[in-house]
């Protein structure tokens, strides 16, 4: 599942796509264009000079730069630098009625840069690489707009119900991300050189962008960061630690972050590549970061990716099954039934990869929790818990340890058969009881006898309690009403 997600990657921008969304007041020197400074009496900037994002003067003639194919090979690096310099000018997309031409020219130039890198027509110089990363940084590293709940002040809104916010500047941002992706994956990119520009600071800023509410941007970031992790081995420990820190802040401080699912998708691939025996650092990551991610209310938004990561750990090292199951029990929801259904699904996947020794270590607290789920008044929770008996591996584990498991859940089974309101739950419970009868009829009879004794004893206690209250009432009636003492 994960490999299909990662291999698909973000959609490559099409040259025919309509990116002509216009911009606001700034009249920038858009990518692929040159401002004719002579018309204002100024001198033109030297070719190849790195341009900072500035507000261009309100007047001037804007002319596109020639395409790469129209200039000699010897001049293409210089033209590449000039195009990068012009792409450093930022356009305001908040006004759709202004500067349509400038935006289209920048879009066309960005597409030319993407094609130039992708075609591998020539290895770009170190200077060009440095200027390209500067241009990319100017365009993508920005203050993200406030989240929707921050605009409304409604902190209690369910993140799953919020509409994603789409960045109006995406027509240009998409091409900048595509350029960065093509640069990272290119066989011509020398990591020894590229790591000078794609450094820790650059990676941290990329990770900050995972907070974007635009799912298209997060999809590109996921693919790019995954490729950086694979290509730049020197950055691997740093990336893992930085992702850890994002998780810690999300779990213990904000409980708001748009990109947790995408970061977990990246980690799913990373965990899959962990060598055995597993390092203590990785086990701590499981205990301190992944398992606590079950705690936030919004776990449903990223539970599929989280469950995949957890399962990877258990499949890598079966001895971690006990740790994982106890972690799930620690964060088991009390009042959120939908989360309980998710937990039961994940629990089944983990149990399927669990061996007998690890199962025995945690089966008592595990089946106490399953017993509570069996008696849940929410039929989906009870039904999902009963579905565990449809799994052959889990049934075999239960059969091997039936003398411990059945006494824990027998009372819950009897209660469902007698009084559960949902017919489907009632029917499934009867089937589970039949399975235990087939496994060990004598054990079932013993559990039934003990259950009857407990019920009889409980009935006696209840009768004694009622008798005591009756005696107290009679004594009070005989003594008459007591005078109220006031202080």
């Amino acid at each position: 599942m994960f490999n299909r997600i990662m291999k698909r990657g973000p959609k490559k921008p099409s040259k025919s796509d309509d990116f002509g969304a216009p911009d606001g007041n700034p009249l920038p020197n858009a990518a692929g264009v040159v401002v004719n400074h002579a018309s204002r009496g100024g001198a033109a900037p030297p070719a190849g000079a790195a341009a900072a994002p500035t507000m261009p003067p309100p007047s001037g003639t804007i002319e596109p730069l020639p395409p790469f194919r129209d200039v000699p090979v010897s001049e293409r690096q210089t033209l590449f630098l000039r195009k990068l310099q012009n792409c450093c000018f930022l356009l305001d997309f908040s006004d759709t009625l202004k500067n349509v031409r400038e935006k289209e020219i920048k879009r066309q130039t960005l597409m030319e840069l993407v094609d130039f890198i992708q075609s591998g027509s020539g290895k770009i110089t170190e200077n060009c690489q440095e200027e390209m990363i500067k241009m990319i940084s100017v365009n993508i590293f920005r203050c993200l707009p406030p989240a929707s709940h921050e605009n409304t002040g409604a902190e209690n809104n369910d993140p799953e119900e919020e509409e994603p916010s789409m960045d109006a500047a995406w027509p240009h941002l998409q091409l900048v991300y595509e350029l960065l992706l093509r640069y990272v994956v290119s066989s011509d990119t020398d990591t020894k050189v590229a790591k000078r520009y794609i450094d820790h600071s650059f990676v941290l800023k990329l990770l900050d962008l995972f907070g974007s509410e635009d799912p298209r941007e997060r999809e590109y970031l996921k693919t790019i960061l995954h490729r950086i992790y694979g290509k730049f081995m020197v950055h691997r420990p740093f990336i893992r630690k930085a992702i850890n820190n994002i998780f810690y802040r999300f779990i213990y401080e904000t409980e708001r972050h748009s990109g947790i699912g995408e970061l977990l998708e990246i980690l799913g691939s990373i965990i899959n590549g962990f060598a055995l025996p597993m390092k203590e650092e990785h086990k701590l990551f499981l205990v301190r970061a992944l398992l606590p991610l079950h705690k936030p209310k919004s776990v449903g938004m990223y539970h599929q990716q989280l469950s995949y990561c957890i399962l990877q750990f258990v499949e890598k090292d079966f001895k971690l099954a006990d740790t994982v199951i106890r972690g799930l029990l620690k964060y088991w929801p009390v009042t959120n039934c939908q989360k309980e259904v998710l937990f039961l699904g994940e629990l089944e996947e983990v149990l399927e990869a669990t061996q007998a020794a690890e199962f025995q270590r945690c089966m008592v607290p595990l089946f106490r929790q399953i017993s509570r789920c069996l008696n849940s008044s929410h039929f989906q929770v009870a039904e999902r818990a009963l579905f565990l008996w449809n799994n052959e591996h889990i049934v075999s584990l239960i059969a091997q340890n039936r003398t411990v498991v059945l006494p824990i859940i027998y009372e819950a089974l009897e209660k469902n058969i007698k009084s559960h309101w949902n017919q489907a739950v009632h029917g499934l419970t009867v089937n589970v009881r039949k399975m235990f009868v087939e496994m060990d009829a004598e054990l079932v009879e013993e559990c039934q006898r003990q259950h009857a004794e407990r019920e009889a004893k409980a009935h006696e206690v209840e009768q004694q309690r009622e008798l005591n209250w009756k005696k107290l009432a009679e004594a009070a009636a005989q003594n008459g009403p007591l005078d109220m003492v006031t202080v």
Side-chain angles (χ1 to χ4, degrees):
M1 181 272 294
F2 181 83
N3 289 335
R4 289 202 299 272
I5 294 173
M6 294 308 301
K7 285 180 181 176
R8 183 171 72 247
K11 178 183 175 185
K12 181 183 175 183
S14 167
K15 291 186 180 180
S16 60
D17 288 347
D18 181 12
F19 291 107
D23 119 44
N25 293 327
L27 184 59
N29 197 354
V33 300
V34 173
V35 176
N36 187 348
H37 296 267
S39 65
R40 300 191 299 275
T54 56
M55 291 282 288
S59 62
T61 304
I62 300 177
E63 300 172 356
L65 287 169
F68 287 107
R69 63 176 178 272
D70 292 349
V71 299
V73 175
S74 59
E75 297 179 13
R76 287 182 182 174
Q77 298 286 336
T78 301
L79 180 60
F80 185 84
L81 285 171
R82 295 175 67 196
K83 287 179 182 288
L84 289 174
Q85 174 187 347
N86 291 326
C87 286
C88 285
F89 286 93
L90 303 180
L91 300 170
D92 181 8
F93 279 78
S94 61
D95 189 337
T96 58
L97 301 177
K98 293 182 180 179
N99 306 115
V100 178
R101 177 176 176 271
E102 288 76 16
K103 293 174 183 174
E104 178 60 20
I105 293 173
K106 179 174 179 179
R107 183 185 75 85
Q108 290 291 345
T109 306
L110 283 168
M111 294 190 76
E112 287 179 25
L113 292 170
V114 171
D115 289 341
F116 184 79
I117 294 295
Q118 190 172 2
S119 64
S121 9
K123 191 171 182 180
I124 59 175
T125 64
E126 289 188 29
N127 185 37
C128 286
Q129 293 181 56
E130 182 178 6
E131 294 304 317
M132 181 174 64
I133 296 300
K134 284 182 181 177
M135 184 277 288
I136 290 169
S137 300
V138 163
N139 280 272
I140 66 173
F141 297 147
R142 65 206 189 280
C143 290
L144 296 174
S148 53
H149 73 277
E150 293 174 343
N151 284 330
T152 60
E155 284 288 344
N156 294 325
N157 280 358
D158 186 351
E160 296 184 51
E161 296 178 1
E162 293 175 0
E163 288 295 323
S165 173
M166 302 300 184
D167 198 315
W170 183 246
H172 289 177
L173 285 172
Q174 180 185 15
L175 291 166
V176 177
Y177 278 121
E178 186 69 22
L179 177 63
L180 176 58
L181 177 60
R182 295 302 152 200
Y183 171 68
V184 171
V185 303
S186 173
S187 56
D188 293 329
T189 301
D190 185 353
T191 54
K192 292 181 180 178
V193 175
K195 72 180 181 182
R196 299 174 194 165
Y197 317 119
I198 300 181
D199 54 10
H200 286 181
S201 173
F202 186 89
V203 169
L204 273 181
K205 291 176 183 176
L206 269 185
L207 284 166
D208 285 341
L209 291 173
F210 275 88
S212 169
E213 290 197 355
D214 193 328
R216 303 167 299 181
E217 182 168 16
R218 297 198 306 271
E219 187 70 18
Y220 261 103
L221 287 164
K222 176 189 74 176
T223 307
I224 290 167
L225 187 64
H226 184 250
R227 298 293 186 177
I228 289 174
Y229 187 91
K231 192 157 190 168
F232 297 83
M233 294 187 67
V234 67
H235 290 336
R236 289 183 180 182
F238 179 80
I239 291 174
R240 292 197 301 269
K241 185 176 180 181
I243 293 176
N244 269 10
N245 292 336
I246 291 174
F247 288 165
Y248 294 152
R249 187 163 186 266
F250 169 70
I251 295 164
Y252 300 111
E253 294 181 20
T254 65
E255 288 200 7
R256 288 275 186 172
H257 196 287
S258 301
I260 299 297
E262 286 80 6
L263 290 171
L264 286 169
E265 283 186 34
I266 297 170
L267 285 170
S269 176
I270 292 172
I271 295 165
N272 194 34
F274 282 167
L276 295 175
M278 199 171 290
K279 294 179 181 178
E280 193 63 27
E281 167 203 347
H282 303 326
K283 294 178 183 178
L284 287 174
F285 168 67
L286 168 67
V287 173
R288 294 178 179 176
L290 287 186
L291 287 172
L293 277 173
H294 291 87
K295 180 183 175 183
K297 290 183 291 186
S298 58
V299 65
M301 297 184 67
Y302 55 81
H303 183 264
Q304 183 180 0
Q305 297 92 330
L306 175 60
S307 179
Y308 178 82
C309 291
I310 296 288
L311 195 59
Q312 287 289 304
F313 270 100
V314 179
E315 290 177 348
K316 281 274 181 184
D317 186 351
F318 65 87
K319 292 182 180 179
L320 291 172
D322 174 50
T323 301
V324 167
I325 291 171
R326 289 181 183 275
L328 286 174
L329 296 176
K330 179 180 179 180
Y331 297 104
W332 201 277
V334 177
T335 59
N336 190 327
C337 295
Q338 293 305 318
K339 276 182 72 173
E340 279 199 271
V341 173
L342 293 176
F343 274 49
L344 285 164
E346 183 178 353
L347 179 62
E348 180 176 357
E349 292 182 342
V350 173
L351 285 173
E352 201 164 2
T354 302
Q355 297 188 12
E358 282 63 46
F359 180 80
Q360 289 170 359
R361 290 192 186 99
C362 61
M363 61 184 175
V364 172
L366 170 62
F367 279 91
R368 282 176 182 162
Q369 180 59 58
I370 291 175
S371 176
R372 288 189 283 271
C373 292
L374 291 173
N375 286 151
S376 173
S377 58
H378 195 294
F379 79 96
Q380 289 179 336
V381 175
E383 191 176 59
R384 189 65 188 82
L386 288 161
F387 282 161
L388 293 173
W389 275 265
N390 290 341
N391 188 299
E392 291 183 6
H393 180 68
I394 296 175
V395 169
S396 71
L397 291 172
I398 293 173
Q400 294 168 31
N401 301 277
R402 59 187 178 275
T403 55
V404 176
V405 172
L406 184 57
I408 296 173
I409 66 168
Y410 187 83
E411 186 175 348
L413 295 176
E414 286 295 318
K415 187 175 179 182
N416 273 4
I417 291 171
K418 287 180 181 179
S419 60
H420 203 285
W421 66 271
N422 185 273
Q423 287 301 313
V425 171
H426 182 274
L428 288 168
T429 305
V430 170
N431 292 339
V432 169
R433 192 181 186 281
K434 285 180 181 177
M435 290 176 68
F436 279 109
V437 171
E438 291 171 2
M439 287 179 199
D440 193 335
E442 291 182 3
L443 178 62
V444 173
E445 289 177 5
E446 177 62 22
C447 288
Q448 188 173 7
R449 184 186 63 77
Q450 292 177 2
H451 176 64
E453 288 179 359
R454 284 194 297 270
E455 281 198 327
K457 191 176 290 185
H459 183 63
E460 288 178 10
V461 170
E462 182 63 26
Q463 283 184 327
Q464 185 63 43
R465 183 183 294 114
E466 288 180 1
L467 182 60
N468 290 340
W469 278 110
K470 187 177 179 181
K471 288 179 179 178
L472 285 171
E474 291 173 352
Q478 290 175 0
N479 294 331
L482 297 175
D483 294 332
M484 295 295 293
V485 179
T486 58
V487 179

